[in-house]
Amino acid sequence: FPALIWAAFRFGPPGATLSVAVTACVAIGETAHDVGPFFEQPIDQATLSIQLYIWVAALTTLFLSGVMCERERSSGELAEARTTEGARAVEERRRIARDLHDSVSQALFSTALHARTAQRALAQEGGGPSGVGTALAAIADATRTAQREMRALIYELHRDPVHDGLVAALTRHAAGAQAAGGLPIDVRGPEARLPLSERAETQLFAIGKEALANVQKHSGASAAQVSVEAQQDQVVVEIHDDGRGFDTVAGHPGHYGLESMRSRAAEIGGWIAITSDPGAGTLVRVCVPTNGKGNGASAG
């Protein structure tokens, strides 16, 4: 039976069928030559014993081979479904990018145009510095900022941000943030691709972006560092800053960035730890197993 079970697991239904046939022939041949466990019985009992043995061996082996075949078929369907889901997600991102370009982006452009027109009209009427002029200038600046962010978002939606790896994507994001007047961000990590799925890299990239956005908006830091390390059984991403820090135990109503990062880490079987104290900076550490398994726990 160990040999039959091995054949069922290793070769599937064809190998299992051949193994049962060989086993049946050997059992019948040994009994006919007065050897084996059945030859000492009367002929009628020996015949029934051989038939029972062959039936049990065949049913057991073919059942196991059928289970293995069904498992392989399910695995193939799951892989195909994931591929189809990824393709649909890419198409959905492109559709959203088109809709944003055709609606929100055009609306922002019109707003900026109207603000400039109003500023020119105010200047032609001889209006000096006033509250209206200041408000128009603020509206124009805010609109230009929104346009830049919208163009960046549309570009990211059109293109997979981690198409060339997590480290490269984080490096590009850090360079763009610094070029836009943000704080210096040092990104370090292996040049080779990480042993992670594209979905896991995408979620880690989103976590890194959220953590860096929090650093720029709330920490008052002068610099930040991002490190990516591929260990034996997991990938570790750390985002550290030298800002004012915060109390991780206290609640932060209205701010969903931390909860978003935790949920993203849990979705890919990882966990996240946030270490911070007032005046001592913040360290965000994300660990994701390379084998695709994990308990999804989060720590803070």
Side-chain angles (χ1 to χ4, degrees):
F1 275 93
L4 293 175
I5 293 173
W6 174 82
F9 278 92
R10 178 65 178 82
F11 301 108
T17 303
L18 179 61
S19 300
V20 170
V22 171
T23 302
C25 292
V26 171
I28 295 173
E30 286 184 346
T31 304
H33 288 80
D34 296 335
V35 293
F38 306 124
F39 83 96
E40 295 181 353
Q41 301 176 0
I43 185 64
D44 54 345
Q45 293 185 9
T47 302
L48 292 175
S49 297
I50 291 175
Q51 290 178 348
L52 179 61
Y53 169 73
I54 293 174
W55 272 106
V56 172
L59 290 176
T60 302
T61 306
L62 294 177
F63 174 77
L64 291 176
S65 66
V67 171
M68 290 302 300
C69 183
E70 181 66 19
R71 179 182 178 184
E72 292 178 357
R73 185 184 65 82
S74 300
S75 299
E77 291 180 352
L78 179 60
E80 183 179 356
R82 287 177 175 174
T83 302
T84 304
E85 181 182 2
R88 290 177 178 174
V90 171
E91 183 60 29
E92 182 66 15
R93 287 203 308 267
R94 292 175 178 173
R95 184 191 66 80
I96 294 174
R98 290 194 300 267
D99 292 345
L100 289 175
H101 178 270
D102 295 339
S103 58
V104 180
S105 183
Q106 296 298 331
L108 289 173
F109 176 77
S110 299
T111 303
L113 184 61
H114 287 306
R116 288 197 296 268
T117 302
Q119 286 177 310
R120 294 194 191 98
L122 185 63
Q124 290 176 357
E125 293 177 359
S130 63
V132 176
T134 303
L136 288 174
I139 292 173
D141 291 339
T143 304
R144 284 192 293 268
T145 301
Q147 281 182 301
R148 287 195 299 268
E149 293 180 354
M150 183 59 62
R151 282 194 294 266
L153 176 60
I154 292 174
Y155 176 79
E156 289 183 3
L157 288 172
H158 267 299
R159 187 176 184 181
D160 187 358
V162 295
H163 67 280
D164 54 353
L166 174 63
V167 177
L170 289 172
T171 302
R172 278 195 305 273
H173 177 73
Q178 187 171 349
L183 77 165
I185 303 173
D186 180 28
V187 180
R188 300 180 181 180
E191 296 181 358
R193 290 299 295 263
L194 299 172
L196 293 173
S197 65
E198 183 176 339
R199 176 172 175 269
E201 286 192 318
T202 301
Q203 294 287 47
L204 284 175
F205 177 67
I207 293 173
K209 282 181 57 179
E210 180 65 33
L212 291 174
N214 290 338
V215 171
Q216 292 179 317
K217 294 178 182 178
H218 309 299
S219 71
S222 61
Q225 299 83 38
V226 179
S227 66
V228 181
E229 181 182 1
Q231 300 179 358
Q232 183 177 1
D233 58 350
Q234 65 180 1
V235 172
V236 179
V237 179
E238 293 185 345
I239 302 97
H240 181 262
D241 68 79
D242 59 356
R244 64 176 64 96
F246 65 98
D247 186 0
T248 59
V249 179
H252 301 275
H255 298 280
Y256 303 102
L258 300 180
E259 184 60 32
S260 173
M261 290 191 292
R262 289 191 175 97
S263 63
R264 288 181 181 276
E267 286 178 8
I268 53 178
W271 59 271
I272 182 171
I274 302 175
T275 305
S276 182
D277 290 305
T282 302
L283 173 64
V284 178
R285 192 171 192 263
V286 189
C287 299
V288 177
T290 56
N291 58 5
K293 298 179 180 180
N295 57 16
S298 62

